[in-house]
Amino acid sequence: MAEAAAAPAVRAAVGDSEFDRDTAVTRRGPGVYDIDLSAGWSILGAVNGGYLLAVLGRALGDALPHADPFTVSAHYLTASRPGPAVVRTETVRTGRTLSTGQASLFQYDDEGNEVERIRVLASYGDLDALPGDVRTSAEPPAIPPAEQCFGPEDGPDPLDGVSAITERLRLRLDPATLGWALGKPSGRGEMRAWFGLADGRDADPFSLLLAVDALPPTAFELGLKGWVPTVELTVHVRCRPAPGPLRVSITTRNLAGGFLEEDAEVWDSADRLVAQSRQLARVRLG
Amino acid sequence: MAEAAAAPAVRAAVGDSEFDRDTAVTRRGPGVYDIDLSAGWSILGAVNGGYLLAVLGRALGDALPHADPFTVSAHYLTASRPGPAVVRTETVRTGRTLSTGQASLFQYDDEGNEVERIRVLASYGDLDALPGDVRTSAEPPAIPPAEQCFGPEDGPDPLDGVSAITERLRLRLDPATLGWALGKPSGRGEMRAWFGLADGRDADPFSLLLAVDALPPTAFELGLKGWVPTVELTVHVRCRPAPGPLRVSITTRNLAGGFLEEDAEVWDSADRLVAQSRQLARVRLG
């Protein structure tokens, strides 16, 4: 078992937590869902892409005959803002073990016209129906125990006041990937952290969609400043996560031509690799 | 410069080759294209997923205002067969540097109804407009020179007669990842090869979509037999490939619950990482 981060005194339950309330979609009609995007998951004024993916993921989990996201591919079109949005889903194919769906998240311009923010293609299944066979060669990331890692509460937060999401997460960053916060980026495209929700809610497949895109960008450790907008993000959920904190490791190997990839792995407290993701993001070279 | 594999006496040109003819789509109307899927790119009777991605990629390259695929996410719905197909595209968003589109490939059932085979979301741009900045930490795969690697012509081909695609490719497999062909799989989820087209046509962004899904499955080196159908495949094209042979390296780290990921890297003759891909595939555990 991995060493756990300190838990809050009262833990929120899956289904009754900030994350559940803020990603809850209301069915307007067949395959169409309303949501009020929370300002609580913003980074530098933009709504976090992982939070948005969880919203779309919940809508598809309701619309499709299978409940669990297996692979979700999202193309980010325009920046989402806190406030009303509508998710329109389409069932593309229904199979015995996998179903495929599409979903788009829209917001409204000044004239009330819908503007598409994100489009997603996803295949869903039943994680509990998978065989228990594990023949992985992957190993959990070497992150120090949570009490040797650092969160926003440990010092002057470089994003203080502009990143509401930090209050909703329990992120404990590996000191080896924290050079950027001290003005000394390592030059390595790595970011590692313990990840939990601030109210102690355990992980589920939807919160994994958040976890893969919730750490500071690896670009910070490469000495780049400014935001790194996601063009495309694909997540594979490989296993239902066990209760307890997650470890997230993100790696960038190829920064070139003004783009980089971020590869994320998420490990649960039972040392299972529960999610893998890759995103293509733009960088602004100084 | 990487060492080149022997080239055929007469090289086909980009735009006038087997691959170009077999991926050529005919515009039926706005955003709608016809194609006759060639039997020449089949593996064990199924049309290769990379070839299909190149077909969809060419249709989107025509339909969108930008010509080059930057990131393409495909969900495979039903098995494609050689023969007539139609590609229906939709322009999702048009931007200055990136455009996003969607495309579906359909074939016909016995009653002539369209059956969807693959659905794709993709963002296109102009590879030649990217800045030349390269700060990659990735390194080319260690593959022996092509003359020390092995192709189907070097021995009894285990897929002889059932894989038309082998005749259209110039694949030279790294002996270190060929144990499966000798009945002694390494147990490591790795597959590496030199990759070219048999008629000597150089690589372009569309043939990179083929290259990421054209090697034998890594599952063979993990001791698994039978086919490994792709559920989802996302490709990032990072750079226009230089003339000359490509090197393709595929890695699987997590075989679990009846699924595995295949991560591919494609390197060109100028030692540039020109494409990265990841797919989620099903395995049948014996």
Side-chain angles (χ1 to χ4, degrees):
Chain A
M1 292 289 283
E3 184 153 354
V10 179
R11 298 167 68 96
V14 173
D16 182 21
S17 73
E18 276 183 326
F19 177 76
D20 295 291
R21 286 187 290 278
D22 288 349
T23 58
V25 293
T26 305
R27 190 170 176 278
R28 182 198 290 188
V32 182
Y33 301 86
D34 286 301
I35 177 148
D36 195 42
L37 296 178
S38 164
W41 304 86
S42 296
I43 296 185
L44 298 170
V47 182
N48 173 262
Y51 163 70
L52 294 168
L53 204 56
V55 168
L56 284 154
R58 287 196 63 181
L60 279 169
D62 186 82
L64 293 173
H66 293 94
D68 297 324
F70 275 35
T71 168
V72 183
S73 308
H75 286 245
Y76 291 78
L77 308 171
T78 55
S80 298
R81 310 274 171 230
V86 58
V87 178
R88 299 185 181 278
T89 69
E90 174 195 349
T91 299
V92 176
R93 176 178 173 270
T94 301
R96 190 174 55 84
T97 58
L98 287 177
S99 303
T100 301
Q102 177 173 314
S104 292
L105 185 135
F106 297 88
Q107 289 190 300
Y108 308 95
D109 66 15
D110 291 341
E111 284 78 45
N113 301 310
E114 289 187 355
V115 180
E116 191 166 356
R117 299 301 194 203
I118 313 176
R119 189 174 293 204
V120 160
L121 271 179
S123 293
Y124 276 56
D126 178 1
L127 287 170
D128 298 326
L130 297 183
D133 201 281
V134 178
R135 292 173 55 183
T136 188
S137 63
E139 296 189 359
I143 303 186
E147 59 273 17
Q148 295 171 26
C149 293
F150 294 89
E153 66 278 15
D154 292 313
D157 180 0
L159 302 178
D160 189 35
V162 289
S163 287
I165 194 173
T166 60
E167 297 169 19
R168 291 200 164 42
L169 303 180
R170 204 158 20 130
L171 270 191
R172 304 287 296 173
L173 287 156
D174 184 340
T177 66
L178 253 181
W180 60 275
L182 307 169
K184 295 183 181 172
S186 69
R188 295 183 303 272
E190 298 175 1
M191 198 64 65
R192 290 184 294 275
W194 291 91
F195 175 95
L197 292 166
D199 59 10
R201 175 199 190 272
D202 279 319
D204 73 347
F206 297 118
S207 73
L208 295 180
L209 303 183
L210 169 67
V212 298
D213 194 38
L215 271 56
T218 53
F220 287 1
E221 276 296 84
L222 292 170
L224 301 171
K225 290 170 181 170
W227 204 238
V228 187
T230 303
V231 176
E232 178 267 329
L233 168 60
T234 296
V235 187
H236 298 172
V237 176
R238 303 295 302 273
C239 178
R240 190 177 301 285
L246 302 170
R247 284 155 293 170
V248 182
S249 171
I250 305 186
T251 308
T252 294
R253 298 173 66 237
N254 194 43
L255 165 58
F259 287 84
L260 55 74
E261 92 286 1
E262 279 199 4
D263 281 1
E265 289 186 358
V266 185
W267 292 77
D268 72 4
S269 62
D271 280 351
R272 288 286 298 270
L273 177 50
V274 292
Q276 293 170 294
S277 76
R278 175 176 290 163
Q279 68 171 267
L280 184 69
R282 283 181 202 246
V283 291
R284 295 191 178 86
L285 301 171
Chain B
M1 293 287 284
E3 184 153 355
V10 179
R11 297 167 68 98
V14 172
D16 181 21
S17 72
E18 277 182 325
F19 177 76
D20 294 291
R21 286 187 289 276
D22 288 350
T23 58
V25 293
T26 305
R27 191 170 176 277
R28 183 200 288 185
V32 182
Y33 301 86
D34 287 301
I35 177 146
D36 195 44
L37 296 178
S38 164
W41 304 86
S42 297
I43 296 184
L44 299 170
V47 182
N48 171 263
Y51 164 70
L52 294 167
L53 205 57
V55 168
L56 285 153
R58 287 195 63 182
L60 278 170
D62 185 83
L64 292 172
H66 293 93
D68 297 325
F70 274 36
T71 168
V72 183
S73 308
H75 286 244
Y76 291 79
L77 307 170
T78 55
S80 299
R81 309 276 171 228
V86 58
V87 178
R88 298 184 182 280
T89 69
E90 175 195 348
T91 299
V92 176
R93 176 179 173 269
T94 300
R96 190 174 54 84
T97 57
L98 286 177
S99 304
T100 301
Q102 177 174 315
S104 292
L105 185 135
F106 297 89
Q107 290 190 299
Y108 307 96
D109 67 12
D110 290 342
E111 284 79 45
N113 301 311
E114 289 187 357
V115 180
E116 191 167 355
R117 300 300 194 202
I118 312 176
R119 190 174 292 204
V120 160
L121 271 179
S123 293
Y124 276 55
D126 178 1
L127 288 170
D128 298 327
L130 297 182
D133 201 280
V134 179
R135 292 174 53 184
T136 187
S137 63
E139 296 190 359
I143 303 185
E147 59 272 19
Q148 295 171 26
C149 293
F150 294 89
E153 66 278 16
D154 292 313
D157 180 0
L159 301 178
D160 190 35
V162 289
S163 287
I165 194 173
T166 59
E167 297 169 19
R168 291 202 165 42
L169 302 179
R170 203 156 25 128
L171 270 191
R172 305 286 296 174
L173 287 156
D174 184 338
T177 66
L178 253 180
W180 59 276
L182 307 169
K184 293 182 181 173
S186 68
R188 295 184 302 272
E190 299 175 3
M191 198 65 65
R192 290 185 294 273
W194 292 91
F195 175 94
L197 293 165
D199 59 11
R201 176 200 189 271
D202 279 319
D204 74 348
F206 297 117
S207 73
L208 295 179
L209 303 183
L210 168 67
V212 298
D213 194 38
L215 270 56
T218 53
F220 287 1
E221 276 295 85
L222 292 168
L224 301 171
K225 290 169 183 171
W227 204 237
V228 187
T230 304
V231 176
E232 178 267 329
L233 169 61
T234 295
V235 186
H236 298 172
V237 176
R238 303 296 302 274
C239 178
R240 189 177 302 285
L246 301 170
R247 283 155 295 171
V248 182
S249 170
I250 306 187
T251 308
T252 294
R253 299 173 66 236
N254 193 43
L255 164 59
F259 288 83
L260 55 74
E261 92 287 359
E262 280 199 2
D263 280 1
E265 288 185 358
V266 185
W267 292 77
D268 72 4
S269 62
D271 281 352
R272 288 287 298 270
L273 178 50
V274 292
Q276 292 171 292
S277 77
R278 176 176 289 162
Q279 68 171 267
L280 184 69
R282 281 181 201 247
V283 291
R284 294 189 178 87
L285 301 170

